[in-house]
Amino acid sequence: MDISYPPQTEALRTEVKSFLAEALPPDWKGIGALDEESAWAFARDWRRRLAERGLLSLTWPKEYGGRGLSKLHQVVLMEELALAGVPFGLPQDTFGVKMLANTLLRWGTEEQKSHFLPRILSGEDTWCQGYSEPDAGSDLASLTTRAVREGDEWVIDGQKVWTSGAHHSDWIFVLARTNREAPKHRGISFLLVPLDQPGVEVRPFRMMSGQLHFNEVFFNGARTRADLVVGGVDNGWTVAQSLLGVERGEEAATNPILFRAEVERLVRLAREYGKDQDPVIRQRIAWCWSKVEIMRFLGYRILTGWLKGAEPGPESSIAKLFWSEYHTEVTDLAMDIMGLHGQVPAGRLPLRTYRADDPGAANSSASWSTTYLIARSGTIYAGTSQIQRNILAEKVLGLPREPRGA
């Protein structure tokens, strides 16, 4: 494990710090301190500023609008943005800028890169991810959505679920079965599909937090051009696995920052409710603090491997299991501190629909109680806790495979 940063990254760190000092007001506390309308307005303008300075596409080749810098430079950028309490673009940029753009750079044809990358960078095209299905969530390779070639088009039938932000997106990248005779991890293709067409229906559904974020997406004879396959026909599983590793390094660096800010806010909450001298509450807060420190060092380990080009390994499952289970405990503690006040949400809801609230958020009952509800989903999305434990048991401990049903 190497936790040092080489000198060549410090020029970018200095640039980003200067940019933040110039762009943010002196009394800036983080985007979480803004009301919802002001926060969205800020985020849209902030995305424009990042794009203009080449920070939204830092590691892309220069010919596609990037700056051609390294993964480590990207990590430095994400660290500084997290510390300043500002976002990296808008929510759907997770799928367009981070996921799809990097996938196209590795697997896309020249035509695909030349067409889509500028539109992703400008925000003209917004994207969502079509992976999970009602009967193929954690066991993604069991997907049944199918695509059949008809002339110069693919015709797609099936259903996707838990599709984040589909109701705000123009396009969706879809895993679909294109060879029904092949083993389940093969015969899958990675397709780029426009959402605005008669063969696609997007149905948002409300989460228990009260927010609209997830969607069901139904394909009934949906169509996309034959050349909009990324990485070759029947090679979608390999493409999909490389996409899943895209955020690994960034999250390893930024998760500890966000969760540390949340614990610091929890300490203030305990003081506000007069619980900071309660020995049980103090012990539970200390436990949370220690877990965030462990997360930080685990992040360094993951980051070191990611920067060396290693493929996702068991440490990714350890990290996912660790932070998602931890987050249920820290939000449980917040609810216990607030007592009955936590049952009556008041104040601004979190802007985020996953993980911690944004930096600078007020210690409102609405912020904590909604984050408490969101925390439960963290043990499900991106691989359930049960699946992560199975991976670790089989690949790390060498235990026998879990018995599969007939």
Side-chain angles (χ1 to χ4, degrees), residues 36 112 224 293 367:
E36 186 172 2
Q112 290 168 351
T224 195
E293 282 296 285
S367 171

Side-chain angles (χ1 to χ4, degrees), residues 104-177:
L104 289 175
L105 287 168
R106 178 171 178 180
W107 295 99
T109 65
E110 186 56 43
E111 291 75 13
Q112 290 168 351
K113 289 184 281 190
S114 297
H115 176 77
F116 286 111
L117 291 177
R119 297 169 68 91
I120 291 172
L121 189 56
S122 68
E124 185 174 356
D125 288 343
T126 53
W127 289 81
C128 59
Q129 180 184 44
Y131 275 22
S132 294
E133 299 183 4
D135 295 319
S138 296
D139 185 15
L140 182 59
S142 295
L143 63 87
T144 58
T145 295
R146 64 186 184 277
V148 177
R149 179 76 179 265
E150 288 187 5
D152 293 333
E153 294 181 313
W154 292 98
V155 180
I156 306 164
D157 291 280
Q159 178 187 356
K160 298 294 179 179
V161 73
W162 314 121
T163 310
S164 301
H167 55 313
H168 297 311
S169 300
D170 307 303
W171 287 76
I172 182 171
F173 48 90
V174 176
L175 287 184
R177 195 163 298 283

Side-chain angles (χ1 to χ4, degrees), residues 132 137-139 162 317 320-321 324-325 376-392:
S132 294
S138 296
D139 185 15
W162 314 121
S317 292
K320 169 59 171 61
L321 180 63
S324 61
E325 294 289 332
R376 269 56 193 166
S377 68
T379 64
I380 300 170
Y381 65 71
T384 67
S385 292
Q386 291 85 350
I387 290 295
Q388 304 301 340
R389 290 188 177 99
N390 281 349
I391 290 171
L392 295 173

Side-chain angles (χ1 to χ4, degrees), residues 83-263:
L83 288 168
V86 293
F88 178 76
L90 294 169
Q92 292 310 107
D93 286 321
T94 296
F95 304 104
V97 174
K98 290 185 179 180
M99 291 185 175
L100 181 62
N102 285 288
T103 302
L104 289 175
L105 287 168
R106 178 171 178 180
W107 295 99
T109 65
E110 186 56 43
E111 291 75 13
Q112 290 168 351
K113 289 184 281 190
S114 297
H115 176 77
F116 286 111
L117 291 177
R119 297 169 68 91
I120 291 172
L121 189 56
S122 68
E124 185 174 356
D125 288 343
T126 53
W127 289 81
C128 59
Q129 180 184 44
Y131 275 22
S132 294
E133 299 183 4
D135 295 319
S138 296
D139 185 15
L140 182 59
S142 295
L143 63 87
T144 58
T145 295
R146 64 186 184 277
V148 177
R149 179 76 179 265
E150 288 187 5
D152 293 333
E153 294 181 313
W154 292 98
V155 180
I156 306 164
D157 291 280
Q159 178 187 356
K160 298 294 179 179
V161 73
W162 314 121
T163 310
S164 301
H167 55 313
H168 297 311
S169 300
D170 307 303
W171 287 76
I172 182 171
F173 48 90
V174 176
L175 287 184
R177 195 163 298 283
T178 47
N179 184 347
R180 301 175 75 177
E181 304 302 320
K184 72 176 188 177
H185 286 86
R186 301 181 182 180
I188 295 172
S189 296
F190 189 105
L191 304 172
L192 310 179
V193 182
L195 286 171
D196 186 13
Q197 58 169 302
V200 177
E201 181 184 1
V202 177
R203 297 182 190 172
F205 53 87
R206 196 170 298 278
M207 301 185 294
M208 66 179 179
S209 65
Q211 297 163 303
L212 289 173
H213 181 60
F214 293 127
N215 300 265
E216 297 175 286
V217 182
F218 296 87
F219 301 97
N220 185 15
R223 293 176 178 268
T224 195
R225 296 202 320 262
D227 62 339
L228 294 185
V229 177
V230 179
V233 177
D234 295 346
N235 192 43
W237 186 256
T238 301
V239 177
Q241 293 304 300
S242 71
L243 181 147
L244 292 173
V246 165
E247 290 188 285
R248 214 176 143 211
E250 295 175 10
E251 288 189 359
T254 58
N255 270 350
I257 296 172
L258 295 174
F259 286 128
R260 168 64 71 83
E262 186 179 59
V263 171

